[in-house]
Amino acid sequence: MSEVVIPADAVVPVVASGRQKLYRRVLKNPMAVVSLVILALVVLSAVFAGQITGWDPGRADLNDALAPPFGEHLLGADASGRDVLARLFFGARVSLIGALIALATALAIGIPTGLIAGYFQGWFDSLSSWFASLLMAMPGLIVVLALISVIGPGMVGVMVTFGALLSPGVFRLTRSGVVSVRRELYIDAAKVSGLSDYRIISRHVLGVIRAPLVIQASMIAGIAIVLQAGLEFLGVGDSSTASWGQMLSEAFSNIYVAPTMILWPGLIIGLTVGSLAIFGAALRDTVQGAEPARKTRRRKPTNEEETSTRRLDLSTAATAAVISPRDGGQEDIEPSDALLVVRDLQVGYPQPDGSTTIVVDGVSLHVDRGEVLGLVGESGSGKSQTAFSILGLLPDTGAILGGTISFAARTIASADGAAHGAAALRGRQFGYIPQEPMSNLDPSFTLGFQLVEPMRHILGLSRPAAKTKALELLDRVGIADPRRTFDAYPHEVSGGMAQRVLIAGAVACDPELLIADEPTTALDVTVQAEVLDLLRGLQRERSMGMIMVTHNFGVVADICDRVAVMQAGRLVEQADALELFDDPHNPYTRMLLSSTLEDTEPRAARSTRPVSSRGTAR
């Protein structure tokens, strides 16, 4: 095999340019601008508090006790005659510094440990996950109160402790993001090109998880401000320094005498925390908006480079670790934030003699966000029945006899019939691409009508807006003349074009999970390749989870990240796609592969075989 050099840093100029223009995209978001202005005013008032107001926040004058606003004291005075505005500005220093300490502590602990655990996994992953679960089980407020009784009400120690208690959330978010991208082909390509693990993590991995970390950081800062104010309100803080919590406590004790006093600290806390949340969400959306440009600006490889790269990826599959146990295939260790989780699913059909035929028996699998799972098996293996169970589309005679199906941590189907959430998710969170395109289009209506109506019903769009979006989707799925196709009836288009229309309809309402049931079976080879490229492109653009139901391992090799192999209603093997092709464990999987590959030297006949991460020859 000829040596292939993969330019892993090809996207660096694009990313750098995007970072330079990040502030411009932020300033185009009105919500971000408003929240940023409020935060800037709060910070500036804290920094220049002494120059803005001439009052000492600790100076008491009983002659001015409970002075009303808009007199000598602009916002009035408290029960001790201290200026409210001065205490408000100087108190901002305590709250902002405390929030910064808690945030820095949580990020300093959570991000590095999450990156290492998600990327390298192994014993560190197990140990750090155990510690994270232990910290999350602790009652945070009680721990902080106990600490104050031991070390005193010092702000630094209290906020460092609180930041440590918040770090498991950052750890889990970081780890799950790393786990979802560490198997991507561009990560393997970066390893092959010789980049160090540190460079891969800092450049290729960290950039993927920065958007969710932004919103997490804003939430932590807001929670820290509220917690510190709550502690001061309870009287367990440092009473020698002005703070928003102390002002709330004093105002509450005089609420019947001077009710306006409670307005000012409550207003500033609400504005600050709300602005942090809004700015974090706006910044997250801005960062995410830069990701498509990063992907679309990548250099397109030539046919020769693409073929060599695919062979190289397959030959270096030893760099990938096994996600879930493969022998037997039934145990499935899903991440805590998996999009779809199927546990011990059993589906059966009653027979006239009173018996029950089991068609799906104890299937457990999961699909992560942005992941494509291939569900493979011969006809009658139960793969379509599994997909229909997820969609809630089993025939009336079929029933789920055991197990559960959960979507986004919510149970949508179970054996007891208590949960029936799949119907409400279809067309919204669930998209479906059927096997026969012509049979799934109504010949009585135009293709445009069949695209527009679901969007009007589910998204609440007007007819013109829905038509505009439908035309954009038809153009995106590669239809040359979208307007003509929009007005056409199903019998006026080809099978490949009809399948593209169905794909457009499946993603029209922005689903989170797309289930494709043999989407290329009825198409010729050339159209099959185009449809698969289209599906992969749409799935990546929208970060959808996807289940590809197929019997064709060629389709699996082209589009899937992980593979679950089914035989006679049971899962016999689950593995990363690259590893399964390179080293199938189950005899049934090997049989399917041997019957699929054509004009290829059998693996057993290879004279040289790379060594896997398990230490065995492949």
Side-chain angles (χ1 to χ4, degrees):
M1 181 187 302
S2 60
E3 183 179 358
V4 179
V5 179
I6 303 173
D9 293 339
V11 298
V12 171
V14 179
V15 177
S17 176
R19 288 174 179 171
Q20 293 172 359
K21 297 180 180 179
L22 178 62
Y23 72 96
R24 296 182 182 177
R25 294 193 297 271
V26 171
L27 294 180
K28 291 181 180 180
N29 189 322
M31 296 181 64
V33 172
V34 172
S35 59
L36 185 59
V37 169
I38 294 175
L39 291 174
L41 291 176
V42 172
V43 173
L44 290 175
S45 67
V47 174
F48 300 103
Q51 289 74 25
I52 296 176
T53 176
W55 294 96
D56 182 351
R59 178 180 177 273
D61 187 349
L62 294 180
N63 294 324
D64 293 333
L66 300 178
F70 309 114
E72 186 180 3
H73 301 276
L74 183 60
L75 298 183
D78 61 12
S80 300
R82 295 173 295 190
D83 185 73
V84 171
L85 182 62
R87 291 179 65 80
L88 204 64
F89 286 166
F90 280 93
R93 297 180 177 180
V94 176
S95 295
L96 294 179
I97 293 175
L100 184 61
I101 292 174
L103 176 61
T105 303
L107 297 181
I109 296 175
I111 293 179
T113 54
L115 288 172
I116 295 173
Y119 188 80
F120 295 103
Q121 297 190 335
W123 67 268
F124 184 82
D125 184 22
S126 301
L127 184 61
S128 55
S129 297
W130 183 84
F131 270 110
S133 299
L134 178 64
L135 287 176
M136 294 186 75
M138 292 182 178
L141 185 58
I142 294 178
V143 172
V144 172
L145 291 174
L147 180 69
I148 291 176
S149 66
V150 175
I151 67 173
M155 179 186 66
V156 175
V158 171
M159 299 315 291
V160 167
T161 302
F162 186 64
L165 293 173
L166 290 176
S167 63
V170 180
F171 165 80
R172 289 196 168 188
L173 181 65
T174 304
R175 179 190 174 279
S176 63
V178 175
V179 169
S180 67
V181 301
R182 67 184 294 271
R183 300 304 198 105
E184 290 292 336
L185 293 180
Y186 65 81
I187 299 295
D188 288 339
K191 292 180 180 179
V192 174
S193 65
L195 295 182
S196 65
D197 290 329
Y198 170 78
R199 189 174 181 85
I200 293 173
I201 292 174
S202 61
R203 296 184 64 85
H204 297 280
V205 176
L206 188 59
V208 178
I209 62 174
R210 59 182 179 175
L213 284 176
V214 166
I215 190 68
Q216 182 82 349
S218 65
M219 292 174 61
I220 290 175
I223 292 172
I225 291 175
V226 173
L227 174 81
Q228 188 182 49
L231 291 174
E232 299 282 355
F233 179 81
L234 295 175
V236 294
D238 186 0
S239 60
S240 64
T241 306
S243 67
W244 293 343
Q246 282 186 8
M247 294 181 68
L248 277 176
S249 180
E250 294 166 2
F252 187 77
S253 63
N254 296 280
I255 192 169
Y256 295 108
V257 181
T260 57
M261 282 180 56
I262 202 170
L263 173 65
W264 312 118
L267 183 63
I268 194 63
I269 291 174
L271 283 174
T272 304
V273 174
S275 298
L276 280 170
I278 294 173
F279 181 71
L283 186 59
R284 184 271 314 271
D285 294 340
T286 302
V287 171
Q288 284 183 330
E291 294 303 324
R294 177 180 176 181
K295 295 178 181 178
T296 55
R297 294 282 299 277
R298 228 172 244 171
R299 181 181 67 86
K300 184 177 181 180
T302 63
N303 291 337
E304 182 178 355
E305 287 175 330
E306 190 174 28
T307 301
S308 300
T309 302
R310 286 180 179 176
R311 291 177 179 174
L312 186 58
D313 289 332
L314 287 171
S315 67
T316 57
T319 60
V322 179
I323 292 180
S324 59
R326 295 176 58 183
D327 296 329
Q330 292 303 308
E331 185 179 357
D332 182 62
I333 305 176
E334 75 273 5
S336 59
D337 60 344
L339 179 64
L340 176 77
V341 177
V342 179
R343 291 192 181 95
D344 300 321
L345 178 66
Q346 187 179 62
V347 178
Y349 289 81
Q351 301 301 312
D353 60 1
S355 63
T356 301
T357 299
I358 304 299
V359 297
V360 176
D361 189 11
V363 168
S364 295
L365 54 85
H366 75 275
V367 180
D368 294 338
R369 298 180 187 274
E371 178 187 46
V372 180
L373 173 69
L375 197 56
V376 188
E378 59 188 335
S379 298
S381 60
K383 55 187 187 297
S384 293
Q385 293 295 314
T386 301
F388 291 156
S389 300
I390 296 169
L391 291 167
L393 294 176
L394 285 174
D396 294 339
T397 55
I400 296 177
L401 305 178
T404 60
I405 301 174
S406 301
F407 179 80
R410 182 168 67 92
T411 301
I412 60 173
S414 60
D416 56 15
H420 297 284
L425 298 177
R426 290 197 296 266
R428 293 174 171 84
Q429 278 75 35
F430 286 171
Y432 175 61
I433 302 174
Q435 184 175 153
E436 295 288 343
M438 289 300 187
S439 302
N440 287 272
L441 290 170
D442 193 333
S444 302
F445 298 96
T446 63
L447 299 173
F449 178 86
Q450 297 180 60
L451 287 174
V452 165
E453 285 307 298
M455 288 189 284
R456 294 189 64 196
H457 174 68
I458 295 174
L459 301 180
L461 299 178
S462 64
R463 188 177 295 275
K467 180 178 179 179
T468 300
K469 184 172 183 179
L471 291 173
E472 292 174 351
L473 285 169
L474 291 175
D475 179 71
R476 174 61 188 87
V477 298
I479 292 179
D481 191 347
R483 291 189 177 274
R484 180 178 178 181
T485 304
F486 183 91
D487 295 327
Y489 285 86
H491 68 274
E492 296 177 317
V493 299
S494 65
M497 191 174 294
Q499 189 67 292
R500 292 174 186 269
V501 172
L502 287 174
I503 293 173
V507 302
C509 297
D510 302 317
E512 297 181 69
L513 177 66
L514 185 65
I515 297 179
D517 187 9
E518 302 277 9
T520 60
T521 298
L523 307 177
D524 60 67
V525 176
T526 303
V527 178
Q528 283 184 17
E530 295 174 354
V531 168
L532 289 176
D533 288 340
L534 171 62
L535 286 174
R536 189 57 159 170
L538 288 171
Q539 183 267 333
R540 284 176 172 169
E541 288 174 9
R542 298 164 182 258
S543 296
M544 296 182 294
M546 183 173 172
I547 298 178
M548 174 65 68
V549 180
T550 183
H551 64 275
N552 189 340
F553 269 96
V555 172
V556 172
D558 200 10
I559 196 172
C560 295
D561 302 312
R562 286 191 302 113
V563 189
V565 182
M566 293 191 67
Q567 179 188 23
R570 297 183 61 85
L571 283 178
V572 297
E573 185 166 3
Q574 294 189 69
D576 177 86
L578 292 179
E579 186 165 355
L580 183 131
F581 274 88
D582 200 60
D583 185 19
H585 286 189
N586 191 273
Y588 178 73
T589 307
R590 292 196 293 269
M591 183 272 291
L592 290 178
L593 283 170
S594 64
S595 63
T596 301
L597 301 177
E598 296 179 359
D599 301 325
T600 303
E601 180 184 5
R603 295 182 181 272
R606 292 181 180 177
S607 57
T608 302
R609 305 177 69 187
V611 177
S612 72
S613 58
R614 296 188 297 271
T616 57
R618 298 191 174 199

